[in-house]
Amino acid sequence: MADYAHLKNGSDIRGVALDGVPGEAVNLTEQAARDLGAAFAVWLADKKKKATGALTVAVGRDSRLSGPSLLTAVSAGLRGAGVTVYDCAMASTPAMFMSTVLPGHGYDGAIMITASHLPFNRNGLKFFISDGGLEHEDIEALVALAAGELPSGGDGGCRQVDLISDYAAHLVEKIRAGIGGGEQPLSGFKIAVDAGNGAGGFFATKVLAVLGADISASQYLEPDGSFPNHIPNPENEQAMEAIIRATVENGCDLGLIFDTDVDRAGAVDAGGHEINRNRLIALLAAIVLEDCPGGTIVTDSVTSSHLAAFITDELHGVHRRFKRGYKNVINEAIRLEKTGVAAPLAIETSGHGALKENYYLDDGAYLCAKILIKAAKLRAEGKTIDSMLADLKEPAEAAELRFKIELDDFAPYGKQVLCDLEQYVNTQPGWQMAADNFEGIRVNFTEAGQRGWFLLRMSLHDPILPLNIESDDVGGAKKIAQQVYDFIKSYDKLDLSPLECYIR
């Protein structure tokens, strides 16, 4: 009996799909993909109250080298259960969700084969129905089903569909309607797109070019799962340097960058300034709150104090700082909406951003569409997109350090560190526990020379304690780091070398 519990990763399946990295044996095999496909058929039949033979499921992949073989295997598992498969070939994660709701598609379910920004040897599966992505408990159920008796021998058919073109056309119409300026409302804009050789190249050729934009400065649009130029990840320093360079050297009005499967994005203004992390959240908050005055913006736990002030004081919205994890912030926004609280945007600093108007789907391409609509309207007023961030203050210093917990059973140890820190905070003069924190321990400092904050938390899935620090004073971050070190240095199962190096 197969046991695929090791492939669970929150609300996804992830594993090693290719040989080539020492110490990383393949565990997301074609057999595993086949079994998980069949298990999804069983789960979906129960959810939809249909026979498996009456189900339709779309399957797509990003540019990873293992994508084609895993897509074939997943499709075989579905077809063996009697499901009709719609093979979307190269697609984005948001497009695969949209396959359950777009006119002309509307499948019962969808599976995307991706591991987001992880290295070339990894891959995974994301599962969707029209209500959204599956939750953690749904993945638990799938893994349990995959370990049991599965239907096989069915004769479900397979049809090829060009989903990404239909999805791109959907975005084109959204942008046209938002700008209200004819067939090519982006004429006169020069926009660089960096797809990092992932699945996002379509945004340049099938969206921007159709809308009249000059995309000649775009780069790395061709899918290549070896990722030869840089990691497709807006949080990666090399990746951001690449899109900044392309934007500035080619005199572009805007630069856009996507992760591998296009559920995250970042941007660059004409001056080469990043619109990423807190700045991306601030920009999107400014855009959505124009149509939802006083609305609540849900973010993860590591957002800046200055971002919170920008949302509340400048935009007159409400900031809800919640837990890390894109599903956490999305589900919190959905929960707030159900209680009557308007929550138009749920977004992580990683670039996962979901809007209520778009099914609360974390969709990097849709976020870029919103930015483009606003940029076009601002141009008509003689303004540029960076004008919306003029009142956002930036910290003088920021750092993120990660401490590995050197234990197999790491969770209890990490939780004990945080429990001890909570008690320690109360004994330290000048330390103020943040009132609006839902994850880890966040402490504010107001003393001159070290004004700022730190957050120590547990990683969602890994044996890691990440430490985030921001300070409004030059040299202040190291002063805060030293005080954290004074507390944490006695924990001998933590690798504190990143903190020690930073202080030195």
Side-chain angles (χ1 to χ4, degrees):
M1 181 177 292
D3 180 5
Y4 298 127
H6 59 285
L7 297 175
K8 291 183 299 182
N9 186 274
S11 55
D12 301 337
I13 292 290
R14 285 189 181 175
V16 179
L18 284 179
D19 286 319
V21 177
E24 296 190 9
V26 172
N27 57 13
L28 181 53
T29 61
E30 291 180 24
Q31 184 63 53
R34 188 176 297 110
D35 289 347
L36 288 162
F40 184 57
V42 175
W43 181 91
L44 189 60
D46 180 66
K47 186 77 173 178
K48 296 288 185 178
K49 306 304 178 189
K50 291 183 176 181
T52 56
L55 294 172
T56 57
V57 173
V59 183
R61 61 177 178 85
D62 65 18
S63 63
R64 291 174 180 277
L65 300 175
S66 57
S69 62
L70 290 178
L71 187 148
T72 298
V74 166
S75 298
L78 290 163
R79 295 175 65 185
V83 175
T84 300
V85 172
Y86 288 79
D87 183 347
C88 302
M90 186 76 64
S92 71
T93 292
M96 291 311 299
F97 163 76
M98 291 298 293
S99 76
T100 68
V101 295
L102 272 179
H105 296 277
Y107 310 117
D108 293 306
I111 302 174
M112 176 65 177
I113 299 166
T114 182
S116 188
H117 63 282
L118 292 181
F120 78 96
N121 66 323
R122 308 293 184 89
N123 218 326
L125 309 176
K126 290 177 180 280
F127 302 86
F128 297 98
I129 56 176
S130 58
D131 292 337
L134 270 60
E135 300 288 348
H136 173 80
E137 57 269 23
D138 300 319
I139 299 300
E140 295 265 3
L142 277 186
V143 167
L145 287 168
E149 292 293 324
L150 293 167
S152 61
D155 57 357
C158 182
R159 303 175 187 177
Q160 306 293 318
V161 292
D162 186 8
L163 174 67
I164 202 66
S165 291
D166 291 345
Y167 170 70
H170 162 74
L171 291 175
V172 165
E173 291 309 311
K174 285 283 183 183
I175 295 170
R176 281 178 179 153
I179 297 173
E183 288 294 297
Q184 294 193 320
L186 294 182
S187 292
F189 275 91
K190 188 173 186 179
I191 301 170
V193 173
D194 187 326
N197 303 112
F202 78 92
F203 194 80
T205 57
K206 293 178 180 287
V207 178
L208 297 180
V210 172
L211 291 167
D214 178 349
I215 61 167
S216 60
S218 296
Q219 58 192 12
Y220 316 141
L221 303 184
E222 289 301 315
D224 184 341
S226 64
F227 307 133
N229 294 292
H230 60 69
I231 297 170
N233 181 6
E235 288 194 292
N236 178 265
E237 185 176 348
Q238 182 185 4
M240 287 309 298
E241 287 174 354
I243 186 59
I244 290 170
R245 186 166 55 251
T247 302
V248 174
E249 291 181 358
N250 292 283
C252 296
D253 300 291
L254 195 66
L256 303 173
I257 184 169
F258 298 109
D259 74 342
T260 320
D261 61 325
V262 203
D263 60 0
R264 293 188 296 130
V268 178
D269 68 22
H273 304 111
E274 291 186 23
I275 304 176
N276 213 2
R277 298 180 66 81
N278 287 293
R279 286 173 59 81
L280 179 64
I281 297 171
L283 176 59
L284 289 164
I287 292 171
V288 301
L289 288 177
E290 288 180 342
D291 296 323
C292 185
T296 295
I297 307 300
V298 183
T299 73
D300 62 2
S301 60
V302 301
T303 45
S304 163
S305 299
H306 293 310
L307 173 67
F310 181 75
I311 292 171
T312 57
D313 299 341
E314 302 296 335
L315 304 180
H316 308 294
V318 177
H319 180 220
R320 174 75 163 172
R321 184 182 287 126
F322 201 59
K323 301 174 183 176
R324 283 282 268 183
Y326 71 95
K327 291 291 284 187
N328 288 330
V329 294
I330 290 171
N331 288 343
E332 177 64 3
I334 293 171
R335 185 194 69 79
L336 289 172
E337 279 283 341
K338 289 179 178 177
T339 67
V341 175
L345 174 65
I347 184 167
E348 272 201 306
T349 49
S350 66
H352 277 289
L355 283 81
K356 178 189 176 184
E357 68 182 60
N358 190 43
Y359 305 94
Y360 279 122
L361 173 66
D362 52 319
D363 184 346
Y366 194 89
L367 295 189
C368 289
K370 294 291 288 186
I371 292 171
L372 290 165
I373 291 168
K374 188 61 184 177
K377 290 181 175 180
L378 286 170
R379 171 168 284 194
E381 302 171 14
K383 299 177 183 178
T384 54
I385 200 75
D386 54 296
S387 65
M388 300 193 73
L389 300 175
D391 294 323
L392 175 67
K393 295 180 180 178
E394 303 279 0
E397 297 178 340
E400 180 174 281
L401 308 169
R402 300 168 70 82
F403 313 138
K404 184 177 181 180
I405 305 173
E406 297 173 326
L407 289 169
D408 290 335
D409 189 17
F410 61 87
Y413 191 84
K415 290 176 182 176
Q416 187 61 54
V417 173
L418 295 177
C419 183
D420 294 346
L421 176 57
E422 185 172 10
Q423 300 302 314
Y424 184 80
V425 170
N426 297 325
T427 70
Q428 300 304 298
W431 290 38
Q432 301 171 8
M433 184 82 77
D436 60 341
N437 194 59
F438 293 87
E439 180 178 35
I441 305 297
R442 186 178 178 119
V443 178
N444 295 325
F445 296 83
T446 57
E447 182 181 336
Q450 60 177 32
R451 295 169 300 157
W453 56 271
F454 79 78
L455 171 69
L456 186 69
R457 60 183 176 85
M458 283 284 293
S459 171
L460 293 177
H461 309 297
D462 301 319
I464 299 288
L465 281 176
L467 172 69
N468 290 84
I469 303 174
E470 282 191 7
S471 177
D472 291 334
D473 298 302
V474 175
K478 285 192 177 182
K479 292 178 181 178
I480 294 172
Q482 179 63 60
Q483 293 181 71
V484 175
Y485 183 70
D486 292 341
F487 159 75
I488 208 170
K489 63 186 178 184
S490 62
Y491 293 90
D492 60 359
K493 300 303 180 186
L494 292 178
D495 176 9
L496 297 176
S497 58
L499 181 58
E500 292 164 347
C501 182
Y502 179 73
I503 292 171
R504 289 197 299 269

